[in-house]
Amino acid sequence: MGALGSRLAAAASGPAASGCQCERRKRKRQRRTEEEEEEEERSDGQAREAGGPRRKKLKSTSKYIYQTLFLAGENSDITICALGQEWHLHKIYLCQSGYFSSMFSGSWKESNMSCIELEIPDQNIDTEVNIDSLPCVRLQQMCKKVSQQLHLHRLQPTSLRFPNPTDRTADALIVQCGEIMKETINSKSVCSFHTAAGTYGLDSVKQKCLEWLLNNLMTQPSVDLLKDLSVGLMEKLISSPDLFVMQVEMDVYTALKKWMFLQLVPSWSGPLKQLLTDADAWFAKQRKESCSCGSFLDTDQGERFVSVFTHIRLQYVINDLVSAKIIEQDTVIPSGWLAAVYKQQWFSMLRTEQDNDLGPKEINREEFAVHSMRCGRKLAKDGDYCWRWTGFSFGFDLLVTYTNRFIIFKRNSLSQPCNGAVSLLPRRNIAFRLRLASFDGNGKVICSRTVGYQILSLEKDQEQIVLNLDSRLLMFPLYICCNFRYTSAEPKPEPDEQPVDGEN
């Protein structure tokens, strides 16, 4: 029974053990082949140095197939035409691809053709780099294109290693391309990667590109990046609650004005500091030449940008006198948009002053994400900082302090000078979300912290620590982004009462 049990156990584990042994033998053969080739190269080198005859080196099977059958096309039985070139290939090898295996079997007309035309609609695919696998020509070229970006990451295109020919499937190349793209996202590649990810169904890459843009659009702006951003992609960024805004909402408007100018005048070149001046001059010239009192977004040129500008939170632009004057003077935004916002803000102010609105009592995250004030600040190095963001804040003068790794909020009422009116109510509420992040030279997040949606209730001149940072994770420059609501949500309008019919 013991011997029988041993044989049964061996039989049960046989396939797995056999598979492991085959895998080990395969690896040994590969190592042996590599060692033999290295030894042959050393021998050839020594023979050349000694002046002796060079020994003829036999090609490995894979090299022979590649050079003799693929490149030279010996004994070809099928011709593939693509990208303006012809490849004389062999059906037996092409059938390793599911695409060609299906093509050459069944009742497809291509199964009996000796020359097949392949249409490759992606204009980014060309023949700048040698094609190692025609069945995967699209994805192979995409990987090669990705590899050309690697010099930005201190890597060479030749360092990109593809799977063995027998493993070179579409799914494997998609996964490999996706991993490479996610690791090499920067300001020069992010838009092209986002487009490629949409074309090839790389959802994780697309999400990574979107996250990178949300973090870097305003923290590390560049002329080239603004030129590359499409209308659809910019709309996603501006409408997102996760956009890392620097300074205040007026700076979002300014960034969009510069972006729109570059979309209309893509030939512009110059430093980023000069961009706003030239953009303002160009829009002023357009106003003068049009002789129209309407806004730029109402023109034929500006119509395609309307969907992006609708996501500017204008209530936090017109709450500052200087910003309100600029936006009125630019006449980029339609006057009807501004009139509606002025009315909304006027009623909010009256509700705060006359109804003693204490501020938010609860947080509706969807409403907060769309209507909260967006602002940010860059801390270049460690030290003590204290600031307030500009604009009318309905009597809640918020001072933000960074000191000794603490972020502190203070409701200033009497202790510090303030340019505007200050509420003297015993207690006021504020809803907020706080995010901090540091980025490397390519815009990748090094460290980050987030304080989720919270309501803080403060008495006059009371201060509260909202975040204690870990010194081990603290790196500068440090970027701080905040979302605020100073007032409670506007009450929903009641349905109009139906008039009562009089007696006849």
Side-chain angles (χ1 to χ4, degrees), residues 18 43 54 57 59 124 148 160 209 216 258 339 347 404:
S18 176
S43 299
R54 181 177 180 180
K57 183 171 67 173
K59 297 179 182 178
N124 293 317
Q148 292 171 2
L160 192 66
C209 291
N216 290 274
K258 293 187 286 188
F347 277 104
N404 295 325

Side-chain angles (χ1 to χ4, degrees), residues 169-181:
T169 63
D171 289 341
L173 285 174
I174 286 177
V175 171
Q176 186 173 31
C177 287
E179 293 305 313
I180 294 170
M181 294 163 80

Side-chain angles (χ1 to χ4, degrees), residues 429-493:
N429 301 336
I430 183 173
F432 74 96
R433 182 177 69 144
L434 176 66
R435 292 176 292 155
L436 292 86
S438 298
F439 309 100
D440 64 12
N442 288 320
K444 187 176 181 180
V445 176
I446 303 174
C447 59
S448 63
R449 287 286 305 275
T450 299
V451 178
Y453 302 87
Q454 293 189 14
I455 293 179
L456 197 61
S457 182
L458 297 175
E459 298 177 354
K460 289 182 290 186
D461 291 318
Q462 182 183 354
E463 58 184 29
Q464 179 70 45
I465 296 174
V466 294
L467 184 60
N468 181 9
L469 296 169
D470 188 340
S471 60
R472 294 172 298 177
L473 302 176
L474 195 59
M475 299 186 68
F476 290 86
L478 182 66
Y479 296 88
I480 300 175
C481 183
C482 299
N483 294 68
F484 293 112
R485 281 300 302 264
Y486 292 106
T487 62
S488 57
E490 296 183 14
K492 295 181 180 180

Side-chain angles (χ1 to χ4, degrees), residues 139-341:
L139 295 172
Q140 185 78 346
Q141 283 293 340
M142 187 175 78
C143 284
K144 295 292 187 182
K145 287 288 186 181
V146 171
S147 72
Q148 292 171 2
Q149 300 284 344
L150 293 181
H151 70 278
L152 301 173
H153 237 253
R154 298 192 298 274
L155 295 174
Q156 297 298 322
T158 54
S159 67
L160 192 66
R161 300 184 63 85
F162 295 98
N164 293 326
T166 55
D167 299 326
R168 195 176 280 142
T169 63
D171 289 341
L173 285 174
I174 286 177
V175 171
Q176 186 173 31
C177 287
E179 293 305 313
I180 294 170
M181 294 163 80
K182 284 190 286 188
E183 290 299 321
T184 56
I185 294 174
N186 56 43
S187 61
K188 295 183 179 180
S189 65
V190 62
C191 292
S192 59
F193 283 3
H194 185 272
T195 302
T199 302
Y200 292 97
L202 299 168
D203 292 339
S204 62
V205 176
K206 197 172 181 179
Q207 182 61 31
K208 277 286 184 181
C209 291
L210 189 62
E211 291 174 1
W212 189 98
L213 287 167
L214 289 170
N215 289 333
N216 290 274
L217 176 63
M218 299 192 68
T219 58
Q220 302 186 56
S222 72
V223 173
D224 291 336
L225 178 60
L226 291 175
K227 285 184 177 181
D228 291 341
L229 286 168
S230 65
V231 172
L233 186 51
M234 182 61 91
E235 182 179 357
K236 288 182 180 179
L237 299 177
I238 301 302
S239 63
S240 173
D242 297 322
L243 177 64
F244 224 101
V245 172
M246 286 289 98
Q247 301 308 325
V248 291
E249 193 72 23
M250 181 62 182
D251 294 275
V252 178
Y253 166 77
T254 302
L256 284 185
K257 187 167 57 171
K258 293 187 286 188
W259 164 76
M260 182 167 61
F261 166 70
L262 290 174
Q263 298 297 304
L264 295 167
V265 190
S267 60
W268 186 89
S269 62
L272 185 63
K273 292 181 179 180
Q274 186 64 28
L275 178 56
L276 180 59
T277 301
D278 289 356
D280 284 336
W282 188 87
F283 284 113
K285 182 181 178 181
Q286 298 300 309
R287 289 195 301 271
K288 185 176 180 181
E289 292 178 352
S290 67
C291 299
S292 173
C293 297
S295 70
F296 183 80
L297 292 180
D298 287 329
T299 66
D300 293 338
Q301 284 182 303
E303 184 179 6
R304 65 188 178 104
F305 303 105
V306 169
S307 61
V308 181
F309 278 81
T310 55
H311 296 289
I312 297 177
R313 303 178 184 186
L314 292 172
Q315 65 269 35
Y316 302 112
V317 175
I318 65 167
N319 67 350
D320 176 67
L321 179 60
V322 175
S323 300
K325 287 182 176 180
I326 292 174
I327 206 167
E328 291 279 0
Q329 179 182 344
D330 286 347
T331 63
V332 170
I333 304 293
S335 58
W337 295 14
L338 297 174
V341 176

